[in-house]
Amino acid sequence: MVRKVILLTLIASLGGCMATAMRMDYDKHRCPYIGLRYDWWLVGTSKGKLIPFLLIDAPFSLVVDTVFFPFEYQYSCNI
């Protein structure tokens, strides 16, 4: 039971890290769904090694990116 609580706490604290981190430098990284775009880019560059970690982060990044979508929809970017 304690392991499950620790695991859930860890997942919740890591969730959306990429989406939040990309917004820290908002002048350079201003585009819709930046967290998910970067997660997808990391899957390609790591040749699948980071997939387990990104499967944890991606749903939370989706939520964070969706919340910020109204402010970013007019921008586009390439990673």
Side-chain angles (χ1 to χ4, degrees):
M1 181 68 173
V2 174
R3 285 185 182 177
K4 288 181 182 180
V5 170
I6 292 171
L7 181 63
L8 287 174
T9 304
L10 180 64
I11 289 171
S13 65
L14 290 176
C17 285
M18 190 54 62
T20 305
M22 293 299 287
R23 284 179 175 82
M24 297 280 223
D25 190 12
Y26 217 57
D27 293 334
K28 294 180 183 177
H29 302 105
R30 201 161 184 177
C31 63
Y33 291 97
I34 187 71
L36 288 177
R37 290 176 191 228
Y38 199 74
D39 284 344
W40 186 251
W41 178 80
L42 283 174
V43 167
T45 57
S46 70
K47 298 179 181 151
K49 294 177 186 172
L50 296 177
I51 288 178
F53 300 105
L54 297 174
L55 286 176
I56 294 170
D57 187 57
F60 295 100
S61 288
L62 178 65
V63 171
V64 172
D65 288 338
T66 303
V67 168
F68 279 93
F69 180 74
F71 307 104
E72 299 169 340
Y73 74 95
Q74 69 265 22
Y75 300 101
S76 64
C77 68
N78 293 320
I79 295 178

